[in-house]
């Protein structure tokens, strides 16, 4: 079984790493697998770059909107 966490992101460069750290730290029971889908909604700060860097850990999939929707 998999729990998918969808995280909308817009200009969160100051809090993004901490939010991801806290989501990753949540313990799930049994055989439940966790995946994080982060959707950058046209951020104008470096949120998208942070997400791309975090995706290299393998537990975050990043989707980007070119403009804020």
């Amino acid at each position: 079984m998999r729990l998918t966490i969808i995280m909308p992101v817009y200009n969160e460069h100051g809090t993004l790493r901490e939010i991801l750290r806290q989501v990753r730290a949540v313990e799930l029971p049994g055989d439940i697998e966790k995946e994080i889908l982060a959707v950058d909604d046209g951020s104008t700060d470096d949120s998208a770059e942070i997400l791309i860097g975090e995706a290299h850990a393998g537990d975050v999939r990043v989707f980007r909107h070119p403009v804020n929707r």
Side-chain angles (χ1 to χ4, degrees):
M1 184 180 294
R2 178 182 303 166
L3 172 67
T4 301
I5 300 141
I6 301 172
M7 181 184 306
V9 176
Y10 180 71
N11 291 342
E12 293 292 335
H13 118 273
T15 58
L16 192 50
R17 287 185 179 97
E18 176 61 17
I19 292 167
L20 286 169
R21 186 195 67 73
Q22 289 185 24
V23 170
R24 287 172 171 146
V26 172
E27 296 287 329
L28 298 177
D31 62 346
I32 299 175
E33 179 183 333
K34 182 184 345 176
E35 75 172 336
I36 303 168
L37 303 182
V39 181
D40 177 63
D41 195 17
S43 294
T44 57
D45 63 3
D46 63 345
S47 294
E49 289 77 16
I50 293 170
L51 288 173
I52 291 167
E54 293 288 332
H56 291 294
D59 61 345
V60 178
R61 291 177 37 202
V62 179
F63 300 87
R64 296 180 68 190
H65 294 160
V67 295
N68 184 265
R69 300 167 90 188

